Amino acid sequence: MAIIFSRKCELGIQAVLYLASAEGRDIISSEEIANELKIPKEFISKILQELTASRIIASKKGKMGGFSLAKNPNKIHLLDIVLAIDGSDIFSKCVLGFPHCSSETPCPMHATWSQLIDETFKMLSEETIDNYKNKVLRKIESLK
Amino acid sequence: MAIIFSRKCELGIQAVLYLASAEGRDIISSEEIANELKIPKEFISKILQELTASRIIASKKGKMGGFSLAKNPNKIHLLDIVLAIDGSDIFSKCVLGFPHCSSETPCPMHATWSQLIDETFKMLSEETIDNYKNKVLRKIESLK
DNA sequence: TTTTAATCAGACAAAAACATCTGATTTATA
DNA sequence: TATAAATCAGATGTTTTTGTCTGATTAAAA
Ligand code: SF4
Ligand code: SF4
């Protein structure tokens, strides 16, 4: 179904980008996020809980409660979200599914793939969601 | 579980590489492949059937039956196997899971990701399993 | 102080992916 | 020709991922 990130991770990134794009408005409910992103409220709620536990976003309970970024958007990297939800497997595991890989016997695909995955890692760790704020709003608009 | 290819696809690639590395010996049984790659016979059999249906490998039924490459290994690209088993979704779908993407409103991640996925596509379509023949044997040896 | 609207925690359900089993068919060889 | 050893097709079972529900807790506002 998903390409490289799990569905939960895809939606986690979408949600954090939405929160970033809505900065200025203090707190956003899971219901609003669900409506805007056109995904089930219950599912995004679970994901928001995970992101809260990893302190990427912050939550406020009770009436008028909701979620907000836990820190300045130029301090939140896409990588943080990926690691929080999917972990680091994609950066370390063998692309061909061979177990216990040893660099003494690299398989033929290793060099090319590890270069690609390194570039992906670099991109995810350099890009902050700050860079995305405005552009993502246009994307979400187009969902309507 | 798997990084970017499904488990079936990972094992499909492993199996085709094994067949390539065993060229000269005419026909290889699913049991040998399963033993060498340390995976269940029943599972790899199903995958070998799929690869046979897509004419990447050829099968011979009956006693002394088994599988062999359907064409010269310099004519089989990694991409063929990926498309046969996983299809083309990874090359076309949105990395963030947004539906009905329109290039009129590209989201912020689009440029970087599409470059990475283009490079992956290029690599998979250029690499033939011929290039891998000998090296992969060392990899399989190391599983023992 | 009661009601309302939100998150939270954990159980539950459904769907997809992964893996196995069974029996039919095919073919080499004793 | 009978037996053995292989693929093939499709059903079945298991595990993981995805998605939903329920009830508890929290906090704002009537
Ligand atoms: S060397 Fe080969 S087997 Fe090892 S991780 Fe790289 S691709 Fe996988
Ligand atoms: S432009 Fe954005 S939403 Fe569209 S496919 Fe690319 S990453 Fe996905």
Side-chain angles (χ1 to χ4, degrees):
Chain A
M1 192 181 194
I3 300 188
I4 190 165
F5 306 134
S6 71
R7 183 75 181 137
K8 276 165 65 179
C9 189
E10 289 177 349
L11 296 177
I13 296 173
Q14 291 188 17
V16 173
L17 290 177
Y18 183 75
L19 286 178
S21 74
E23 281 290 91
R25 296 201 295 129
D26 218 28
I27 279 197
I28 312 264
S29 72
S30 62
E31 183 156 28
E32 173 178 338
I33 298 174
N35 289 339
E36 291 294 316
L37 300 177
K38 305 280 181 290
I39 52 182
K41 179 176 176 302
E42 293 79 10
F43 194 35
I44 198 63
S45 293
K46 270 280 168 257
I47 297 168
L48 291 167
Q49 280 179 46
E50 285 189 45
L51 291 170
T52 303
S54 347
R55 302 177 183 279
I56 291 165
I57 64 180
S59 71
K60 180 157 179 283
K61 297 179 192 173
K63 191 168 180 177
M64 296 285 109
F67 299 88
S68 59
L69 298 182
K71 39 192 169 181
N72 191 303
N74 66 22
K75 291 276 189 298
I76 303 180
H77 299 258
L78 289 177
L79 183 65
D80 304 334
I81 307 168
V82 172
L83 291 178
I85 298 183
D86 280 352
S88 60
D89 278 3
I90 57 167
F91 306 113
S92 60
K93 285 180 53 177
C94 168
V95 66
L96 297 185
F98 279 111
H100 49 71
C101 170
S102 122
S103 50
E104 292 167 34
T105 56
C107 93
M109 198 154 167
H110 193 90
T112 328
W113 182 259
S114 55
Q115 188 192 328
L116 287 168
I117 211 70
D118 283 354
E119 285 172 33
T120 304
F121 184 89
K122 190 156 172 287
M123 185 263 279
L124 294 173
S125 60
E126 287 177 352
E127 287 282 11
T128 67
I129 61 167
D130 193 38
N131 304 342
Y132 287 33
K133 266 195 208 170
N134 303 306
K135 284 187 184 168
V136 78
L137 266 185
R138 291 226 314 280
K139 186 76 222 168
I140 291 164
E141 280 296 315
S142 79
L143 293 179
K144 287 178 180 164
Chain B
M1 191 183 196
I3 299 187
I4 190 165
F5 306 133
S6 70
R7 184 75 181 140
K8 275 165 67 179
C9 189
E10 288 178 351
L11 295 177
I13 296 173
Q14 291 188 17
V16 173
L17 289 177
Y18 183 75
L19 286 178
S21 74
E23 282 289 270
R25 296 200 296 131
D26 219 27
I27 279 197
I28 312 264
S29 72
S30 62
E31 183 156 28
E32 173 177 339
I33 298 175
N35 288 340
E36 290 295 317
L37 298 178
K38 305 281 182 288
I39 52 183
K41 178 176 176 304
E42 293 80 7
F43 194 35
I44 198 65
S45 294
K46 270 279 169 258
I47 297 167
L48 292 166
Q49 279 179 45
E50 284 189 45
L51 291 170
T52 303
S54 350
R55 301 176 183 280
I56 290 166
I57 64 180
S59 72
K60 179 159 180 282
K61 297 179 192 172
K63 191 169 181 176
M64 295 285 111
F67 299 87
S68 58
L69 297 182
K71 39 192 169 182
N72 192 304
N74 66 23
K75 291 276 189 298
I76 302 180
H77 298 260
L78 288 178
L79 183 64
D80 304 333
I81 306 168
V82 172
L83 291 178
I85 298 182
D86 279 353
S88 60
D89 277 4
I90 56 166
F91 306 113
S92 60
K93 283 180 53 177
C94 168
V95 66
L96 296 185
F98 279 112
H100 49 72
C101 170
S102 121
S103 50
E104 292 168 34
T105 57
C107 94
M109 198 155 167
H110 193 91
T112 328
W113 181 260
S114 56
Q115 189 193 327
L116 288 169
I117 211 70
D118 283 354
E119 285 172 33
T120 305
F121 184 89
K122 189 156 173 287
M123 184 263 278
L124 293 173
S125 59
E126 286 177 352
E127 287 283 11
T128 68
I129 61 168
D130 193 37
N131 304 341
Y132 288 31
K133 267 194 207 169
N134 302 307
K135 285 187 183 166
V136 79
L137 266 184
R138 292 225 313 279
K139 187 76 222 167
I140 291 163
E141 279 297 316
S142 79
L143 293 178
K144 284 176 181 164

